[in-house]
Amino acid sequence: MIENFKKRFQKDGIWVLFLLPALLIYLVFMAAPLLDSMRLSLYTGKGYTPTEFVGLQNYIDLFTNPVWRERFLGALKNTVIFFAIHMIVQNSLGLFFANLLSQDFKGRNFFRTIIFAPATLSVLVTGFLWTLILNPHWGAINQTLKAIGLDSWAKPWLGDENLALVTISLASVWQWVGMPTVLFLAGLLGISDEILEAARVDGASSWHIFWKIKFPLLKPVVGVVAILTFVDNFNAFDVIYAMAGAKGEPGYSTDLLATFFYRTGIAGEHPIGIPNMGMGAAIATITFVILMTGVLIWLYSSRKNEDLV
Amino acid sequence: MSRTQKLFTYSALSIWAFVAIFPIWTLIVNSFKPQKEIFSNPFGLPQNFTLEGYKAVWLKGNFGTYFLNTIYVTVISLALIIFFGSLAAYALAKWNSKSSTALYVFFIAGLMIPIRLGTIDLVRLMQFLNLQDTIWSLIPVYVAMGMPISIFILTAFVKNLPREMFDAAKVDGASEWRIYLQIVVPLLRPAIATVAIFNMMKIWNDFWFPLVFIRAEESRTVALGVSLLFGQYRTDWTRALSTLSLAAIPILILYILLSREFIKGLTAGAVKG
């Protein structure tokens, strides 16, 4: 048996050595913290020492204790809205632009470069920039609206509880629309010209070609875009922090799961400023479960689609 | 393309190109104007050109330090991501066994799970390692965060390399380490560029981990510096815009120079999967 083991090590040992650095750093700084967060969510305690075991009390508090419940459900609802706006507006625009850019015309590389440009910038920078553009008194948007006589349209975009979340979501869509665009574009360019040419010869309209031929072939890309949008936006923090602060102003109307997590588990609520790490870990764990559920549904349905093909 | 199609394509794309560029344009031109002119002439080129904002921000904000810190963190993290990632990818592609498949799945699972959800533990870990408030707290986290996408892209690439190359080298008695260094790494170059660009953007623009780990002035990154300075200058628009421009311009220049690689890099990860 020892002989056997030795032989195996001589054969496979080198691969283990090659894998070791990547595995160690991934285990210690990613996998273990993610898993240990679940354990921590069962504890409570002030500051950096959540040492008192409380079982599921943190979760029970989040769902039933009025102090936590309101904030938690509010953040969850806002996160769903934030995600839905990206899913619908950003991805439809992306599909539309990709379809235009997949045609052969002069300047298409120029447009492609420009549409993607905002996505290279830091979310924080674009978020701050938008707060200036949306400034109710001096910002370019309201100045322009007033200049063309639409005074009543000039709104306090980030100061109104009913408008702020939608406004911030659209600013974020502005930044990220290039992402689905390039992904869909890559998918569209992968469709063979012969199929499209054949359809054209048969007299199909471009509308028809898009929905009956291109879109069904794009389905795997649609799945990838949907899951990326889901994971990224259920985890969004920077844009809210930049445009509405860590408390999701005004009146928590833009508070997302990530800002709620940050305030609770890391920064600590004002004025005490002491983080409740156990509760933070519980929020992270719930976010984790939501993400995993979405990913598993996606994996399951994309596998089913493959079987059909 | 018919004439109407052409007209439609150009007008739709031009409208969005305008929407995409306009905020960036106002950011940069207005950062060179005194406050008064920003309000009287918000969209045109500056008439009273000034560098006051940049001077103030650069001197007061230690921007030089922020840039150096961000460059260190990005370069060291990228070097480690590429080295560890390509070694692991070569092993995963060539080692046929149940354990290698399991490890591959374990790494790839990280694509769908944001590392941020483990932040609370990472904060405690950095305290334990005594790394909080230094740029060294960021590097291991970024390297770990970069592993899934890098291993995903690089393993697929190694698997597509012709087998004969490795076999011939093996017959000649080369060790796996030499094959990795002299055959795999040179061939991997395009995939490494993809991995580098993809991770570079994430690391350079990351705000979350500096916000959580770092308070000390001398360890701040550009993103963290921008957030603190912007808070101070909220009402002084020249300075506020100069702060944002300082963070945006280097990335924009890099993007314009490398836009083709950028876009290729971003699509490579997602579309192949």
Side-chain angles (χ1 to χ4, degrees), chain A residues 12 15 26 30 36-37 40 48 50 103 106 109 113 116 120 122 124 128 132 138 174 182 235 238 241 284, chain B residues 9-10 19-20 39 95 106-107 110 113-114 116-117 121 123-124 205 207 223 230 237 251 255 260 263 266:
Chain A
D12 296 338
W15 299 132
Y26 180 69
M30 188 154 170
D36 198 50
S37 269
L40 274 183
Y48 285 73
Q103 305 168 99
K106 241 193 194 157
N109 279 334
T113 306
F116 195 76
T120 60
S122 140
L124 201 72
F128 285 144
L132 297 180
W138 302 106
W174 167 84
V182 286
N235 188 35
D238 299 20
Y241 185 89
Chain B
T9 302
Y10 277 114
V19 172
F39 299 136
W95 182 22
F106 177 57
F107 277 120
I113 304 160
R116 283 180 184 185
L117 295 178
D121 259 75
V123 169
R124 285 155 46 95
N205 287 335
F207 172 62
F230 188 85
W237 284 36
I251 282 282
Y255 172 63
R260 214 164 276 231
I263 290 171
L266 288 160

Side-chain angles (χ1 to χ4, degrees), chain B residues 219-233:
Chain B
S219 306
R220 287 179 191 161
T221 61
V222 174
L224 190 58
V226 163
S227 95
L228 297 168
L229 281 174
F230 188 85
Q232 283 174 36
Y233 293 145

Side-chain angles (χ1 to χ4, degrees), chain B residues 108-160:
Chain B
I108 298 309
L111 280 177
M112 294 301 165
I113 304 160
I115 192 170
R116 283 180 184 185
L117 295 178
T119 304
I120 293 201
D121 259 75
L122 287 169
V123 169
R124 285 155 46 95
L125 183 61
M126 292 309 161
Q127 284 229 313
F128 176 73
L129 298 172
N130 221 350
L131 291 177
Q132 81 274 36
D133 246 356
T134 70
I135 59 169
W136 304 106
S137 62
L138 300 171
I139 292 168
V141 175
Y142 291 152
V143 176
M145 183 173 93
M147 281 303 119
I149 185 74
S150 312
I151 286 178
F152 179 61
I153 295 174
L154 295 172
T155 307
F157 200 90
V158 179
K159 277 190 175 154
N160 282 330

